[in-house]
Structure formats: structure tokens, C-alpha cells
Amino acid sequence: MTSEGWGTPPVEPISQHYIVCGGNALAHRLVLELVEHYEVPVVVLVADRTRDHAPQIEQLSGVAAVVEYASVTEEALRAVSIGTARGLALVEGSDQENIHAALSAQNHNPDIRIVFRMFNQRLGENIERLLKNGAALSGSATAAPAFASAALGRPNSVEIEGRYLHIAFDDEITSDRICVVADHIDRQDLGRIRLLPEQQGDSAEFVRLASEFGDRGPIRPGGVRREPAPSDQPAPEEEPGGRAALQVLRIEPREPTDWMRRLRWRLLDTMRFFTSARMRLVLLTALAAVLLAFGVLWYLNRNFGWTVYIALLDLAGAAQPDQLSDISAGTGTGGFWQRVAQVVITICGITFAPVATAIAVEVLGSGRRGQPRNPGAGTRDHVIVVGLGNVGTRVATQLHDMGVPVVCMERDPQARGIAAVRALGIPVVMGDGPFEQQLRRARLKHSRALVAVSGDDATNLEAALEARHGNPEVRVVVRLFEDDFASHFYKTLDNAASRSVSYLAAPAFAAALMGREVRGMLSVLRHVLLIAELKAEDGSGLIGLNRHDLEDPGGVRVIAVRFAHGGQLQWNFPDRTRRLAPGDQIVVAATRSGLARLNTVAVEEGEGQG
């Protein structure tokens, strides 16, 4: 294939459209977000329309055109009408390729909104400064917290100015919740779940009291309760299914780990790193002999300080031996057994020197620090991460930073994540043998969870099933793209969770493409709740709107407000009629369609204001 392009560029002139470059899973989800929730025209640029997700993308209704070019060249950008486009998303290719494409697009259209995927987040922040209207996002960094939290069985959280928002289910919901975010939760039928259902307003309690104390209410003046009249109507039934609510924590929940267990694991693993099994055997045997000889000397001399002194001299090879004349005169140091003990200590001391030299040669000379190592014998209560791609590397790094022991598994010796986890000292099980054997080497029997995040659904499912077969109590978290596949997975296995990287990351990319700042995402089983921060400014369309305008259409909850004249966020601001003024900021919890609808309303209002 050449860079000339094999696809058919848009025949009719097109403008005010959005361009998605890529044919992977993230591109597929992103196109779905744009055409279904934001209802904008999309042109897709793929490298090969017969590979990956390109055929499925081409079948989506709402896609204006699918253009095929081997790379994002100047000619390819002109073919997709970059000069009249409103936004460009680069979600495939290396960091260098995406940077080059972003700068080229800005040269063609200085006002275009550019969102590009970057694994190196620090480099992405620097590139953002070079772009007039750009944002660098990492799909793996966006999704990794959800995988790590699912592995530990605790809620994922999003930090907003020192407070941490998380999702609580059923009995975990407290009275200080912010709002109910889901009901009708049935883990056997995830299609019944309702995100951000209608809720009673802040004045519902006052209306209830007024109805009770009114002329027709059940409570008379003086506090005497009036018996209700009999009714043939059946009592209303409670809503079936569980509930989920958004709550605020003052402190980010940390996974407690016993420090003694962690210290023992570190010591054993460090010893395994510096020495081979044969060297450890020599060292331990010599140490046992020295301790035994030290005990003999102490027993014979009955003086601990003198015994330590003699033992150290013997280890250094500097002890004064008994002379034959001293033995004949009866002035020797202590008899036959003391001389035997001194000889043993001296020989062991001579042994330590070459062993120490061998360790130094093995560590420094052979470069063993640069090789992945297997988990140590003391590894316990750890998380096994299968797959060291972008997502696996992020998950392993986050768990390690939380103080949780991690063991990684990778079949490809050239995987980019091996070097990253090696620098952190995380053990890596290498090889392409059967999963059963690899999991045994990863000490599955002693693990707490397994996270399978390779790029193939079948491989991830195989790893999860083998793990559950080897350890029925282990928690499994699997990366799955297909929703139907994930639904069957939930129904079949307990103590399990599935996440989709593209499903978690695509809403953030779509919102960024529309100029919205998504602070984070919270998982409600297989659904996503977005936490976004919006500012009322000229052209935003938010000026003059109140909570009724924002929330009544559904899919959006205003959870905090910061007024232009005030410095701090006000959580659950009660006045639903106060209109936003220039400079005000709001934090919303929204579904994907809710945030898209809010963006559409804001654009219409902004055009009306203009």
C-alpha cells in the first residue's frame, strides 16, 4: 500500500465536520460517541479499511466517509478536508507520528480543535503548549485506575479539589450522598440499569410535610394522627433492583498492606535478585557453620566479648594460632574443640571473599539488573497483571505506587512495558508456555487478584479461566471489548469484573474534542459516569442557565458550583433558579449522552448569544 490512498475521499464538499484518524478499538468507540451522542458529521481516516475495526466503522450510520491512507500525510489531511473541519482526533500511531500529524493539521487549519493520544504524558503536556487549541490524552492512563480499583475490590475515585468522588452500591450508600446515579441494577441483566434516573427535588421533604399537616393530611393540629381512609388501591411496590450513589470522601481510600509482610517480601526478593540459588546455598551453609563454631567458642570461654573478638579475627584470617610449644607447656588457648572452631571460622571467612566477588561480577559484570526476574519465594497477597502493553504497564505501576505487591506476565520479550516495570523492580514472568505453567511461576496460589489486559479478548478470558481453575478464590478482572461477551462473563463468574479500555477512554476523547474538560470517569458496572468541569464564559452557551435548564432534560447532575466572586466549590448548591454568570464554574456528573446533549445546548445558546 502506498501513501496515495485507496479510499474514496468525500465527493461532496464537507465542512464543520470532525476527523478521526485510526481504525483501532478506541477509534471505533470514539466514532460511535460522536455520531450517536453528539450527532456530528464524522470522516474517518484509516490505514487499511479491511483490518482491525475499520470494516465495522464503515458500516456505522452517520459516518460521512471512510478514507484510506497508509499514514497521516499532508495529502491525506487534504483528502479529509482538514481546512474546513472543526476537530481532529489522532487515536492511533506512535507518539512521534501523532505529534507530527497534529502540527501539520494546525498549519492547515489554525483554529481546529486537536485531540491526540500520547503514552508519554509529560511530552504530551509540552506539545499542548505548542498547539493553539489542542489536548493530549492517554487512553491507558484514563482506564488504568478503573482496572486497579477493580482488582482490589474497592471503588474507583476521582479527585476534585481535595475531595474524592466514588460510586457506592446499596448498603454502602450513606445519608450524605450527593445524588443517586443508577437504579434498577441487576447484575444478571445489565441492560435494565438506569443511569441518573429522575429524582425528587430539594423541596420534596417540605412538600411531604405540608401535605401531612394540611387540611387533608393525616396529622391534625396538636400532633394527633388521623387514620387514613381505607382504599382499594394496592400499595405501590418498591423499585426492583439495586441502587448506586455518588458520594464524597475526604481522603482517598488506600489499600492497607501489613508493613511486616511487605518488608519480608522486599528482603526475600532483594536477596533473590542479588544472588543465584547456588550462591545462596553456599552463603547459608557458611553462615550456619560460623554460627555453630561461634557457639562452641562461647561455651568454652564463657566470655561473649572475647568470643566475638576471636571470631572476627578468625573471619579476617588474622587470629593467632596455638604454637606447638604452647600446647606442650599447657598454655594453649583452649583445647582441641576450640582449635576446630577457629579453623572452621577461618575457612568460612576465606569462602566469603570469592562469593562476594562472584556476586559483584554477576550483578555488575553480567548486567543482571537489566533482566526481568521471577517472583521471590516470599511473594504473597499480590496482583498478577497479564500483558505489559500500555494499559498493563499503567495498571502495574499504579498498584506498585499504592504499595501492593505486583507480578507481571508477558509473552513478548520486546513488549514496551518490560523496561518500565523492570525499573520499578517488579517481577516479570516471561515465556510463551501454557498459562497454567506461567501462572504457577507467578505464584497464583498466593495471589489476591489477576488482571488480564492484553489486546486480545480470547487471551484475556483464557488467562482468567486458568486463574480461577488454579485458585478458586482469586479475583479476576478482564479487559473485554465486546459488550455481549462481557455480559456472559458477568453471569458465569462471581468475584469478577470486566472493563473495556476503549469504552472507558472514548467518552473522555469525545468530550475533549468538543472542548469539555473531563476530570475523570467512574464505573457503574459496565457503564461510565463522567465527571466534568465546565466554565461559563463568552461563547460557552452556559451564561444565563440555571440548574433546571441543565438537569431537567436528563443525563446531567450539577454536583458543585464555584461562583466568580467566591473561591471554593459549593457542593450540592441548593438554589436551582440562580443563573450562571460569566466566570462561574460548575462540576457535573453526566452520562455520555447527557454531556453530549449539554454540549449541543451550550453551542445553540452560544450561537444565540452571538
Side-chain angles (χ1 to χ4, degrees), residues 106-162:
Q106 183 173 253
N107 291 335
H108 285 277
N109 185 349
D111 296 326
I112 191 173
R113 173 69 173 175
I114 302 174
V115 176
F116 55 101
R117 189 188 70 173
M118 289 286 291
F119 180 78
N120 189 333
Q121 291 180 288
R122 181 60 179 172
L123 177 60
E125 293 173 359
N126 292 327
I127 297 300
E128 282 183 357
R129 301 186 183 100
L130 300 179
L131 299 175
K132 180 180 178 181
N133 186 15
L137 299 179
S138 170
S140 57
T142 303
F147 281 94
S149 299
L152 302 178
R154 68 172 179 81
N156 185 29
S157 57
V158 175
E159 188 268 337
I160 301 291
E161 294 195 0

Side-chain angles (χ1 to χ4, degrees), residues 237-300:
E237 298 181 0
E238 290 190 2
E239 294 287 346
R243 295 193 307 160
L246 185 66
Q247 297 183 167
V248 177
L249 298 178
R250 292 286 183 177
I251 301 175
E252 165 75 339
R254 296 291 181 181
E255 181 66 19
T257 304
D258 182 70
W259 69 272
M260 284 293 294
R261 182 187 305 169
R262 192 188 311 171
L263 178 61
R264 181 182 61 186
W265 182 79
R266 293 295 184 189
L267 290 176
L268 291 175
D269 210 42
T270 301
M271 188 174 183
R272 180 183 180 90
F273 174 74
F274 280 105
T275 62
S276 66
R278 184 174 299 178
M279 288 185 178
R280 284 202 307 275
L281 180 62
V282 173
L283 287 175
L284 292 176
T285 302
L287 179 61
V290 168
L291 292 177
L292 180 61
F294 180 85
V296 172
L297 291 177
W298 188 13
Y299 175 77
L300 294 175

Side-chain angles (χ1 to χ4, degrees), residues 313-451:
L313 289 180
D314 290 337
L315 280 173
Q320 280 289 342
D322 284 341
Q323 301 295 325
L324 186 60
S325 58
D326 297 333
I327 297 175
S328 302
T331 57
T333 56
F336 173 77
W337 288 112
Q338 178 167 333
R339 287 190 286 274
V340 170
Q342 288 187 272
V343 169
V344 170
I345 294 178
T346 303
I347 293 176
C348 292
I350 296 173
T351 304
F352 285 146
V355 170
T357 303
I359 292 174
V361 170
E362 186 178 8
V363 172
L364 301 177
S366 64
R368 195 173 181 192
R369 285 186 183 273
Q371 300 176 3
R373 57 193 178 89
N374 289 325
T379 304
R380 298 286 192 280
D381 204 26
H382 57 288
V383 176
I384 301 174
V385 178
V386 180
L388 284 177
N390 293 345
V391 181
T393 304
R394 300 278 190 190
V395 173
T397 301
Q398 183 167 355
L399 291 171
H400 178 270
D401 292 342
M402 295 168 61
V404 178
V406 182
V407 173
C408 297
M409 288 176 52
E410 178 55 58
R411 292 183 170 182
D412 181 10
Q414 303 301 322
R416 66 183 303 174
I418 293 178
V421 300
R422 180 183 63 197
L424 298 175
I426 297 175
V428 181
V429 176
M430 300 288 296
D432 55 357
F435 268 119
E436 181 183 5
Q437 178 183 352
Q438 301 293 80
L439 289 172
R440 189 182 304 114
R441 290 174 55 195
R443 302 185 64 79
L444 173 66
K445 289 287 187 182
H446 304 285
S447 65
R448 72 165 78 174
L450 176 136
V451 183

Side-chain angles (χ1 to χ4, degrees), residues 60-254:
L60 295 176
S61 60
V63 175
V66 176
V67 182
E68 183 178 15
Y69 273 80
S71 58
V72 186
T73 61
E74 299 282 343
E75 184 177 357
L77 291 174
R78 287 193 293 269
V80 294
S81 303
I82 189 67
T84 57
R86 297 186 65 178
L88 169 68
L90 301 162
V91 295
E92 198 170 36
S94 64
D95 288 359
Q96 181 178 354
E97 292 171 343
N98 288 340
I99 292 172
H100 181 269
L103 295 176
S104 298
Q106 183 173 253
N107 291 335
H108 285 277
N109 185 349
D111 296 326
I112 191 173
R113 173 69 173 175
I114 302 174
V115 176
F116 55 101
R117 189 188 70 173
M118 289 286 291
F119 180 78
N120 189 333
Q121 291 180 288
R122 181 60 179 172
L123 177 60
E125 293 173 359
N126 292 327
I127 297 300
E128 282 183 357
R129 301 186 183 100
L130 300 179
L131 299 175
K132 180 180 178 181
N133 186 15
L137 299 179
S138 170
S140 57
T142 303
F147 281 94
S149 299
L152 302 178
R154 68 172 179 81
N156 185 29
S157 57
V158 175
E159 188 268 337
I160 301 291
E161 294 195 0
R163 293 190 178 188
Y164 293 85
L165 311 181
H166 76 106
I167 301 296
F169 293 91
D170 298 329
D171 295 339
E172 300 173 353
I173 300 175
T174 59
S175 59
D176 59 347
R177 66 180 183 270
I178 297 177
C179 63
V180 175
V181 297
D183 62 6
H184 292 186
I185 297 177
D186 184 355
R187 296 178 185 268
Q188 300 300 319
D189 185 7
L190 298 180
R192 298 181 61 248
I193 189 173
R194 297 193 309 174
L195 287 182
L196 295 179
E198 291 187 20
Q199 61 179 3
Q200 293 179 325
D202 299 331
S203 59
E205 183 65 17
F206 297 100
V207 173
R208 183 187 65 83
L209 291 175
S211 63
E212 287 192 352
F213 282 94
D215 293 337
R216 299 182 180 274
I219 299 180
R220 296 175 178 175
V224 180
R225 176 171 292 273
R226 180 188 295 117
E227 293 298 330
S231 174
D232 297 333
Q233 298 293 332
E237 298 181 0
E238 290 190 2
E239 294 287 346
R243 295 193 307 160
L246 185 66
Q247 297 183 167
V248 177
L249 298 178
R250 292 286 183 177
I251 301 175
E252 165 75 339
R254 296 291 181 181

Side-chain angles (χ1 to χ4, degrees), residues 544-590:
L545 300 182
N546 57 28
R547 284 186 62 181
H548 287 296
D549 300 327
L550 297 170
E551 294 184 353
D552 285 352
V556 176
R557 292 285 186 275
V558 178
I559 59 177
V561 179
R562 176 191 284 114
F563 299 114
H565 60 270
Q568 293 185 344
L569 284 175
Q570 300 185 38
W571 296 89
N572 272 344
F573 185 69
D575 188 353
R576 300 176 62 87
T577 61
R578 189 189 189 282
R579 300 190 179 276
L580 295 176
D584 292 348
Q585 290 181 326
I586 58 174
V587 178
V588 301

Side-chain angles (χ1 to χ4, degrees), residues 465-502:
L465 295 178
E466 284 289 351
R468 184 55 61 85
H469 176 72
N471 183 357
E473 302 299 325
V474 72
R475 179 172 175 78
V476 292
V477 181
V478 182
R479 174 185 179 180
L480 297 175
F481 176 82
E482 295 293 340
D483 290 336
D484 293 339
F485 204 1
S487 179
H488 292 305
F489 177 79
Y490 267 110
K491 294 178 182 178
T492 305
L493 294 180
D494 56 351
N495 194 21
S498 71
R499 299 288 185 268
S500 169
V501 175
S502 58

